[in-house]
Amino acid sequence: MADESTVLETVRRYFEFVGADIEHAEEIYHDDAILEFPQSGERFEGVATFTEWRRQYPADPAQVRFRIRRVTARVDLAVVELSASYDGTSWMQGVQLLEFRGDKVAH
């Protein structure tokens, strides 16, 4: 099981790469991880499926920006409060829940 500092470092590393380097950002996930969007009902099982979805996402990766407001971390869960912009001008508020299994995200 990871400790809280490992969880925080993993979250920081993820947001450093998520908009610019999809493959590098996906390194935080277990191969069998699940990615879900409750608001739209989308569910992706396995890193390969959501990596491909992110490659096809219509937003320009160079324009994707995140502002992290707060990260609350425990050994198996991180709650990330953030703002996201896909065009560099309009911002949406969001929350990301990252469930950890060891030092990688499982769900």
Side-chain angles (χ1 to χ4, degrees), residues 56-103:
Q56 295 177 21
Y57 197 76
D60 177 359
Q63 294 290 317
V64 176
R65 298 285 183 272
F66 295 97
R67 293 180 183 155
I68 307 302
R69 295 183 51 177
R70 182 169 65 162
V71 178
T72 304
R74 302 294 182 262
V75 294
D76 63 345
L77 178 70
V79 178
V80 183
E81 298 172 46
L82 56 85
S83 300
S85 176
Y86 297 94
D87 61 8
T89 59
S90 57
W91 291 86
M92 299 174 285
Q93 306 302 309
V95 173
Q96 188 170 39
L97 305 174
L98 300 167
E99 294 177 27
F100 281 76
R101 185 173 70 230
D103 62 350

